[in-house]
Amino acid sequence: MTLREKIEVMQAFERGEEIEYTPLMEEIWRGTTIPAWDWDWALYEYRIKPKPKQVVLIEKWLLKDDEDNYYIVQA
C-alpha cells in the first residue's frame, strides 16, 4: 500500500467508517474495531469496508387477453 492509501484508511477510521484487515498474501478480510497501525502495516493490509452493491429488481409480466393478444407489463 502507498502512504496515501494508508492515510485514507486511517482517516476513514477516524470518521467512524468500518475497517477490515487481512494478513499479507491472504484474501480473507476481517473486521476490526481497534486497528494497530503502529506496527501492523508490515504484517497486515487494511482497507475501508466495501459498501454492499445495490440490487435492482425489475419485474416483467407477460399477459394474454381473451383474444390471444400478448402484452408485456413492467412493474
Side-chain angles (χ1 to χ4, degrees):
M1 292 183 81
T2 66
L3 179 58
R4 170 60 39 209
E5 290 170 327
K6 293 175 183 179
I7 291 169
E8 288 173 7
V9 171
M10 289 189 274
Q11 288 175 336
F13 177 74
E14 185 69 22
R15 290 190 302 269
E17 295 183 47
E18 293 184 68
I19 303 300
E20 295 180 327
Y21 74 98
T22 186
L24 294 177
M25 310 306 260
E26 287 190 24
E27 295 295 322
I28 300 171
W29 290 91
R30 300 166 186 91
T32 181
T33 56
I34 308 172
W37 336 99
D38 53 346
W39 57 274
D40 267 0
W41 292 106
L43 303 173
Y44 298 96
E45 185 173 354
Y46 289 90
R47 71 176 183 185
I48 302 165
K49 183 177 180 179
K51 306 228 184 295
K53 295 182 180 179
Q54 183 178 7
V55 177
V56 177
L57 176 64
I58 299 173
E59 290 187 35
K60 291 185 178 183
W61 298 22
L62 181 62
L63 304 176
K64 182 175 110 173
D65 64 15
D66 294 335
E67 298 172 5
D68 289 339
N69 295 316
Y70 289 92
Y71 303 93
I72 296 177
V73 178
Q74 185 170 327

